[in-house]
Amino acid sequence: MNPPAPLLFYFDFISPFGYFASLRVEALAARHGRTVDWHAMLLGVSVMKVMGLKPLLDTPLKGDYIRRDAQRYMRRHGLVLKRRLDDPVMDPRAAGRAFHCVKHHHPALAVPLAHALYDAYWAQGRDLSTADAIADIALPEGLDPGWLRAAIASDEAGALMRSAVDASLKAGIFGSPTLVVDGEPFWGVQTLELAEEWLQRGGW
Amino acid sequence: MNPPAPLLFYFDFISPFGYFASLRVEALAARHGRTVDWHAMLLGVSVMKVMGLKPLLDTPLKGDYIRRDAQRYMRRHGLVLKRRLDDPVMDPRAAGRAFHCVKHHHPALAVPLAHALYDAYWAQGRDLSTADAIADIALPEGLDPGWLRAAIASDEAGALMRSAVDASLKAGIFGSPTLVVDGEPFWGVQTLELAEEWLQRGGW
């Protein structure tokens, strides 16, 4: 018998709601005997280029709602950020490249790295926009900072990132977080409960 | 002691998710000893004019997700529509005018009328774009079709609709449905559970 398919977790490191979901998806999957396959994507491509929208926080009315919703979520889940939602948005490509290089060459370290990157950016308020800044955070054991620095700058990293973004668009993914359960997409951290109900009932 | 404040329910008749929420908000409020104050607004003003966005279903990637999400919601809640989400969108102003005139002159009939309009449009697939079409649906008992037809066409109806839309924008409302619980806004039918938790716990 084949093991059940992993849940697919799509996220962008600059997405606070992606960060919130990253703290819950592993436990959610484990409750149902599943694993999670993590996919870093780029909202700058899906939202701004493909969908033609402006950034969420810059959208009149909706931006204020999102700020409030994030605060409400953090209070409910006991989270504290060292970064304000309105701080200038970092270029997430270096972090995305780091993730995809590690996923390609050291797959067992990819999720620990994603957690480390998310934690450094949102919980610690660190910069992750350059290879140097990324090599400088508390990396998962077994990941060499020098190797990572070079990997982020490599042509291969660019190709892996581009191909991951293309694949996410082809899969219809546009937002962070999106959790795909047996082909069924759930967009937004608010839908994690619904995704779990889908897992429990085997869909409807 | 004052009675507890009503929940504020903002909706547009052309919004399928607004329709879905309209079927649940009264029971939700009643479970917590609350009533609901209904407010018809216009997505064409908030989304297109103020936020500068295109209609949801016309947004690449997101449109497909929304179609799927609506189907998933309907299966889960046992709802069947006589109108496809992709059918041409009706001009909702006549229905909004009808609602606001009735709310102003026959307040006890406003919610029954909102249910009747939503049901006629989504569950029966009827047109509501003219005063004649609206006067022709199964109206709540006590509401005279002739009076309603004239009311919809009146200058007063236009003024009531405009003032309701202005008030909704001033309150920061942009989407349908939005439920406001003691000043706290919950946007989207997916957040009704969260709104209920807020009611239960008295916020957090």
Side-chain angles (χ1 to χ4, degrees), chain A:
Chain A
M1 210 176 120
N2 293 326
L7 312 187
L8 312 182
F9 176 55
Y10 293 88
F11 62 96
D12 185 334
F13 288 108
I14 57 166
S15 159
F17 294 98
Y19 168 58
F20 299 159
S22 77
L23 301 172
R24 294 170 57 192
V25 287
E26 296 284 341
L28 189 161
R31 283 194 288 276
H32 303 276
R34 301 289 190 109
T35 56
V36 184
D37 188 7
W38 292 50
H39 296 266
M41 40 81 82
L42 294 175
L43 292 172
V45 178
S46 67
V47 173
M48 275 132 95
K49 289 198 187 156
V50 178
M51 298 163 80
L53 306 181
K54 53 197 130 198
L56 209 50
L57 294 176
D58 298 345
T59 307
L61 303 177
K62 199 172 193 171
D64 288 337
Y65 180 83
I66 294 299
R67 286 179 186 86
R68 184 171 194 142
D69 191 39
Q71 295 296 333
R72 179 164 72 194
Y73 184 95
M74 287 190 275
R75 290 197 308 276
R76 183 173 181 235
H77 292 269
L79 299 174
V80 177
L81 302 186
K82 271 263 176 93
R83 179 178 295 281
R84 294 177 333 121
L85 262 57
D86 283 299
D87 286 348
V89 174
M90 171 188 81
D91 182 335
R93 285 176 296 181
R97 282 168 163 238
F99 172 80
H100 284 293
C101 279
V102 169
K103 188 176 176 184
H104 191 69
H105 291 286
H106 306 283
L109 298 178
V111 175
L113 176 66
H115 283 303
L117 290 167
Y118 256 141
D119 189 77
Y121 188 66
W122 288 107
Q124 301 171 43
R126 296 179 65 128
D127 173 58
L128 300 179
S129 63
T130 66
D132 283 342
I134 290 173
D136 200 41
I137 71 166
L139 295 172
E141 206 175 331
L143 196 55
D144 179 68
W147 177 85
L148 185 60
R149 199 181 297 113
I152 293 169
S154 69
D155 288 346
E156 186 193 36
L160 287 170
M161 180 87 247
R162 272 191 301 280
S163 126
V165 167
D166 288 349
S168 71
L169 293 172
K170 212 166 276 176
I173 305 300
F174 58 94
S176 167
T178 300
L179 189 67
V180 181
V181 180
D182 301 333
E184 189 74 14
F186 295 88
W187 165 54
V189 73
Q190 307 272 21
T191 63
L192 287 183
E193 281 88 358
L194 194 67
E196 183 147 19
E197 191 183 326
W198 186 274
L199 267 166
Q200 237 147 15
R201 296 167 56 180
W204 58 79

Side-chain angles (χ1 to χ4, degrees), chain B residues 3 11 25 28 35 40 49 53 60 64 68-69 71 77 89 107 118 143 169 187 195 197:
Chain B
F11 62 95
V25 287
L28 189 161
T35 57
K49 289 199 187 153
L53 305 181
D64 288 336
R68 184 171 194 142
D69 191 39
Q71 295 297 334
H77 292 269
V89 174
Y118 257 143
L143 196 56
L169 294 171
W187 166 53
E197 190 183 326

